[in-house]
Amino acid sequence: MYAASGVTVAVRGKVLLDSVDLDLAPGKVTVLIGPNGAGKSTLLGVMAGGRRATAGRVTLHGRALPAWPPAELAAMRSVLSQSVGVAFAFRVDEVVRLGLAAGVPRQRADGLVGGALERVGLAGFASRDCTTLSGGEQQRVHLARALVQLAAAPGDPCARYLLLDEPTSGLDLAHQLLVVEIARAHARAGGGVLAVLHDLNLAALAADRIVALDRGRIVADGVPGEVITDRLLADTYRVGIRVNVAPPSVFVLPSGLPDARV
């Protein structure tokens, strides 16, 4: 189990997360939703080990995250950050290879890199200069890097977690749906997924479980139909929202302007 317990993050007196508990289960896609500033990316960063909590702790298989050697931790969880970019003229395949641990045989490495690029819709891009790609294409290069990192790891896939911070933000509709399918496939294979998504319809489509945050606290936690309701979304986002149902999930339509008093 991958779990946060009593996690609080405060910066210069401002509380970003307030005693948050969250556990991730293998075989499930957990999606964090909530307005800007709710604490979603902060929570994912603490869960990933890239951000220090003021109080509380994160454990993986019962062991505190800082106690894991970096190489072992990298074999069990990979992270796609909200902001990705390449400052130098690296080839696409060179960026993806950054997800590989040292010592992976060349032939296997080539197969993993090629397979990951194909999976994210970038077959044939291996030799391209990453800085010449669009923002959405670069985002998918880094997703391929995260996928290679887990694919190359030895052991049980149930021990592997994919952490995605706004993975669809710069993508067109087809590639947004591709990312959703990649997350779902990782869960079907036995891995765990934690994703931050702003698009509530994508969240409902992707998630086994939705966790809603507001002002640094969890305000709802459950299956999409339990969390995505008119009342909860109106209270959380301060805007009129109408939830409807069309198989296979719920979907939402804004029905009013934001409350200017909030």
Side-chain angles (χ1 to χ4, degrees):
M1 186 66 71
Y2 203 155
S5 177
V7 167
T8 295
V9 175
V11 179
R12 293 187 291 275
K14 179 177 176 58
V15 177
L16 306 182
L17 289 175
D18 188 1
S19 299
V20 169
D21 297 327
L22 179 68
D23 59 87
L24 305 180
K28 301 291 183 182
V29 176
T30 300
V31 174
L32 303 178
I33 66 169
N36 294 149
K40 305 180 298 297
S41 292
T42 301
L43 178 55
L44 188 141
V46 173
M47 294 288 290
R51 181 154 196 169
R52 186 180 297 275
T54 307
R57 69 175 193 155
V58 176
T59 58
L60 179 56
H61 304 313
R63 187 178 181 184
L65 220 58
W68 285 97
E72 292 183 29
L73 183 60
M76 290 184 291
R77 69 94 182 90
S78 65
V79 184
L80 178 63
S81 300
Q82 183 179 142
S83 298
V84 295
V86 177
F88 303 100
F90 288 109
R91 288 166 37 128
V92 165
D93 60 345
E94 291 174 330
V95 174
V96 178
R97 285 177 194 276
L98 294 175
L100 295 171
V104 177
R106 180 60 181 267
Q107 186 173 0
R108 181 165 187 251
D110 289 346
L112 289 170
V113 170
L117 286 172
E118 183 173 3
R119 197 171 174 197
V120 301
L122 292 175
F125 278 61
S127 63
R128 292 275 300 273
D129 177 346
C130 209
T131 63
T132 68
L133 304 184
S134 71
E137 288 169 337
Q138 289 192 35
Q139 195 167 5
R140 285 185 281 141
V141 171
H142 285 278
L143 176 58
R145 172 190 51 75
L147 295 175
V148 158
Q149 180 179 327
L150 295 185
D156 184 356
C158 292
R160 302 172 195 167
Y161 291 84
L162 187 60
L163 278 58
L164 308 172
D165 194 356
E166 298 189 33
T168 62
S169 60
L171 303 183
D172 59 40
L173 179 58
H175 292 110
Q176 290 176 19
L177 295 174
L178 176 63
V179 170
V180 168
E181 174 51 30
I182 287 171
R184 297 294 314 161
H186 183 72
R188 287 196 300 270
V193 179
L194 177 66
V196 173
L197 292 175
H198 277 294
D199 187 316
L200 297 176
N201 292 313
L202 280 179
L205 186 64
D208 297 297
R209 171 191 181 195
I210 291 182
V211 177
L213 287 93
D214 189 22
R215 298 183 174 102
R217 295 184 176 182
I218 291 176
V219 294
D221 182 349
V223 298
E226 294 173 346
V227 175
I228 297 183
T229 65
D230 294 358
R231 177 63 181 273
L232 182 110
L233 296 182
D235 289 347
T236 302
Y237 289 91
R238 290 99 188 164
V239 64
I241 293 181
R242 177 64 58 84
V243 176
N244 300 275
V245 177
S249 188
V250 295
F251 69 94
V252 304
L253 292 172
S255 60
L257 295 175
D259 187 341
R261 297 168 297 176
V262 178

